[in-house]
Amino acid sequence: MTATINPTDISPRRDGGGRGPTATISQTEELDLLVQNASPDPFWQKESPYFLVECKNWSKHVGARELRDLWGKMEGRYDRCRLALLVAPDGIADTVRTLQLQNAKQSKLVVLIGPGDLDWLVAGPDRSAILKELHQRAVSAASSEGDVEGST
């Protein structure tokens, strides 16, 4: 499913219901949401023309395999998709964060949205500010990890 929207117009649900809409792009790939970036906000205009949103409403933590799969989906977009949101209401394994930090030099950024983040995003009055903060947290994690490694 491709939507041309402002990324802050994404209205996540936290009702625990079944699967959301899924777009099957090909026989080998399934996407939850492909967002065409039409934001007038200068912050989002600096990002790629397309974003991917991958939702994992599982009863277990999302692992490193799902991050690798998402990176693969981003690569298949003619370098026009360098940002993705990985939404995991039941949590994200530490291995995902570790793998993301190990690959921080890539041009692709996956913003991890765990249970507390999702609740905050759903209930928050300003989704744009919350998404920007989650984005900044993802970028900052890589730079702070590099500072820690460099100081030892």
Side-chain angles (χ1 to χ4, degrees), residues 37-89:
N37 182 6
S39 177
D41 185 325
F43 179 89
W44 296 112
Q45 287 178 345
K46 293 177 187 174
E47 284 295 338
S48 58
Y50 292 92
F51 306 157
L52 293 182
V53 181
E54 188 73 30
C55 303
K56 299 295 184 189
N57 193 15
W58 295 352
S59 59
K60 63 178 184 168
H61 284 32
V62 170
R65 178 180 178 184
E66 288 70 40
L67 178 60
R68 285 187 199 98
D69 288 348
L70 186 51
W71 282 337
K73 292 175 183 181
M74 294 168 75
E75 287 175 2
R77 301 282 175 279
Y78 304 102
D79 199 31
R80 286 176 175 66
C81 182
R82 294 178 302 278
L83 177 67
L85 306 177
L86 179 57
V87 182

Side-chain angles (χ1 to χ4, degrees), residues 114-133:
D117 304 325
L118 186 58
D119 291 337
W120 178 36
L121 187 58
V122 170
D126 186 351
R127 286 194 186 101
S128 179
I130 294 168
L131 283 171
K132 286 177 187 177
E133 191 165 331

